[in-house]
Amino acid sequence: MAEFTRQRGKRQEDSGLGNVLDLLLANARLVLGVTGAAVLAIATLAVKRVRPAQPPSGLGGHAPQNWLAAPRLSVSRKPTRLSLVCSAPPETPRVESSPPHCLTLQEKLLSHYSSWLTVPETQASVALQLARSICTQLQNFLRSKCPELPFGSLFLSGPLLDGLGVLAADHIHLMLPVVLDAALWSLIPGEDTVVRNPQYWLIKRTDLEYFPRGRSPWDRFMVGRYLSSNALNETLHKMLVASINWPAIGSLLGSVIHPVVASQELKLEVKYDQIKLSITLFPVVEMEDKVLLAAPPEGLVENLWLESFYRAEVSKVKELDAGDSGVRQCCLRILNGVCKSHPALHKLSGSPLTHVVLHLSAASLDWAEESLADRFQQLLEELVGYLEKGVLPSYFNPKINLFCELLEEEIDEMGFMLYRAVSEPELLLKEK
Ligand SMILES: *[C@@H]1O[C@H](CO)[C@@H](O)[C@H](O)[C@H]1NC(C)=O
């Protein structure tokens, strides 16, 4: 596959679409047989060049959607009763031993899950404890150094706490609420602005005539008439790298803490014994039932706020699992683990996968433990379908295309990788 992709990429640069197609087809015939390759040929021609920020509203001008509609495999239906690890990870991770050939996909998935995807309990609790202590220190610092700014209580977030992603004790999000007076600020959808992207919002200062500049403590972060995520980031970045005495806090906590100076994000690296933890700080505004992060897109437009559905994603998946004793979370953890550690697939991990699971859950399917392998394989097929269209609509707002920031090449590479994995899911489990 690596060879396939590399050659494909090289040819693409060298000699244009014709040769790329020849190469694709030569490879596709091996995998698909002649008929499949023919379908692939038609669809490859129609692959869209530019990824829209929003899914198209009409049906016109759209690529054929069946090139990667791979034949469903007959999955072994033998129910496995391996007293599931899905709900509660074991305390210590098992040492990886390659599963013998006779295992069903279901068994391989479970084995993969218990080998790779669990964190020792102590490691997880140490990481959380560290993050909480740092959280407290940061809160104290903000309260004493900028008492005029009404920050809310910092709180922790991320897969380690919510259990949807990879259960690795290596990354924690630290959410910093920016509390705005609803009488002075209002939201403008990004869709109605030059960015034309429904994922983003602007936070506009209202009634400046009656409540002049200075009335809101956040006015100092105003650019034009908008609350600037960039200005806030800038200030916090300065504080994090230059004002806070991390060596002192580190020694207080028996650890070494470094702010990452060159990062786009507000990031700290923490070392404690064998544990390496990265903590990312996200300023967050909650307004009009929306959760907005100061995580503007790269370059170009300033002041934007990204709408986050993370909390809604987590609670919806948990609610669905609770309703039918489903294994959506288990499935997600496996798939997240696979994608996160795979060089071609890592951009799929996190939110996009959760939305695919939520879409799939809308069809009344069996998510019981015995169906783990079936659902896993089906998720791969669904993903391939979305990649083919270049559009993955958000479950919570179909106007948002969760693939809009992926490059054409990335989409192609993921599509081919996952396409092969549909008929041979073990390909994914070997990676790492
Ligand atoms: C935040 O500010 C720092 C320092 O100016 C910068 O390096 C970084 O790229 C900014 N991040 C974003 C997301 O704008």
Side-chain angles (χ1 to χ4, degrees), residues 72-80 104-107 109 327 331 335 360 365-382 422 425:
R72 284 294 300 283
L73 276 201
S74 51
V75 179
S76 162
R77 301 238 164 214
K78 205 173 81 194
T80 45
T104 61
L105 175 60
Q106 175 94 5
E107 288 160 342
L109 287 173
V327 287
C331 218
L335 208 47
L360 195 56
L365 293 163
D366 182 9
W367 284 90
E369 191 180 309
E370 297 78 25
S371 305
L372 176 65
D374 284 3
R375 293 293 84 81
F376 184 83
Q377 230 162 352
Q378 201 175 2
L379 280 174
L380 296 181
E381 286 172 28
E382 295 287 313
V422 168

Side-chain angles (χ1 to χ4, degrees), residues 111-396:
S111 150
H112 182 81
Y113 179 89
S114 56
S115 315
W116 291 115
L117 302 176
T118 51
V119 193
E121 203 70 26
T122 47
Q123 199 178 327
S125 69
V126 168
L128 283 174
Q129 192 50 51
L130 260 179
R132 283 199 188 99
S133 304
I134 289 170
C135 188
T136 306
Q137 296 293 331
L138 199 54
Q139 185 95 61
N140 292 344
F141 181 90
L142 290 169
R143 291 231 164 101
S144 69
K145 284 295 169 345
C146 9
E148 74 284 4
L149 292 178
F151 287 112
S153 294
L154 278 153
F155 61 95
L156 306 182
S157 171
L160 190 59
L161 290 101
D162 302 314
L164 272 204
V166 187
L167 291 177
D170 62 355
H171 200 121
I172 289 179
H173 295 166
L174 200 46
M175 313 309 284
L176 174 61
V178 169
V179 181
L180 298 178
D181 182 343
L184 300 179
W185 300 93
S186 67
L187 299 185
I188 311 283
E191 229 180 325
D192 300 348
T193 70
V194 283
V195 290
R196 303 202 154 276
N197 188 333
Q199 258 180 307
Y200 292 99
W201 295 79
L202 285 167
I203 303 176
K204 188 171 187 181
R205 178 68 152 78
T206 50
D207 290 333
L208 267 172
E209 302 74 25
Y210 301 106
F211 306 109
R213 193 182 253 274
R215 180 63 76 94
S216 166
W218 302 104
D219 281 347
R220 57 185 265 212
F221 299 104
M222 197 163 45
V223 171
R225 288 189 71 156
Y226 301 97
L227 181 66
S228 166
S229 50
N230 297 77
L232 186 61
N233 161 67
E234 206 97 332
T235 299
L236 290 170
H237 188 269
K238 235 176 258 164
M239 211 180 266
L240 225 49
V241 304
S243 314
I244 303 181
N245 190 345
W246 291 117
I249 294 175
S251 73
L252 187 73
L253 303 176
S255 59
V256 179
I257 307 172
H258 287 294
V260 186
V261 178
S263 168
Q264 278 272 332
E265 296 175 311
L266 300 163
K267 195 178 266 189
L268 298 171
E269 269 170 12
V270 185
K271 277 191 209 132
Y272 177 89
D273 268 352
Q274 306 296 314
I275 297 176
K276 277 189 184 169
L277 178 65
S278 113
I279 296 181
T280 311
L281 182 68
F282 286 102
V284 55
V285 165
E286 285 196 46
M287 247 183 118
E288 302 174 17
D289 294 327
K290 304 206 166 25
V291 180
L292 307 173
L293 303 181
E298 256 177 77
L300 300 174
V301 199
E302 300 215 325
N303 311 332
L304 293 169
W305 293 76
L306 176 68
E307 182 167 9
S308 163
F309 295 99
Y310 183 75
R311 197 188 299 162
E313 289 161 17
V314 171
S315 62
K316 187 71 195 170
V317 170
K318 293 198 167 183
E319 178 196 314
L320 289 168
D321 267 356
D324 61 3
S325 313
V327 287
R328 292 170 190 81
Q329 294 170 79
C330 178
C331 218
L332 267 173
R333 269 177 234 146
I334 296 173
L335 208 47
N336 266 316
V338 161
C339 290
K340 198 182 169 196
S341 59
H342 194 292
L345 301 177
H346 71 98
K347 288 199 175 169
L348 289 179
S349 70
S351 252
L353 294 179
T354 311
H355 286 255
V356 176
V357 166
L358 289 174
H359 286 307
L360 195 56
S361 293
S364 56
L365 293 163
D366 182 9
W367 284 90
E369 191 180 309
E370 297 78 25
S371 305
L372 176 65
D374 284 3
R375 293 293 84 81
F376 184 83
Q377 230 162 352
Q378 201 175 2
L379 280 174
L380 296 181
E381 286 172 28
E382 295 287 313
L383 263 172
V384 167
Y386 290 120
L387 284 166
E388 193 274 325
K389 286 183 233 167
V391 175
L392 170 58
S394 159
Y395 178 80
F396 298 102

Side-chain angles (χ1 to χ4, degrees), residues 386-418:
Y386 290 120
L387 284 166
E388 193 274 325
K389 286 183 233 167
V391 175
L392 170 58
S394 159
Y395 178 80
F396 298 102
N397 178 0
K399 284 190 212 154
I400 294 175
N401 173 15
L402 297 172
F403 285 164
C404 72
E405 270 155 38
L406 295 179
L407 302 173
E408 179 79 11
E409 303 86 75
E410 291 172 331
I411 296 237
D412 283 354
E413 208 177 329
M414 291 176 189
F416 282 110
M417 185 66 223
L418 289 172

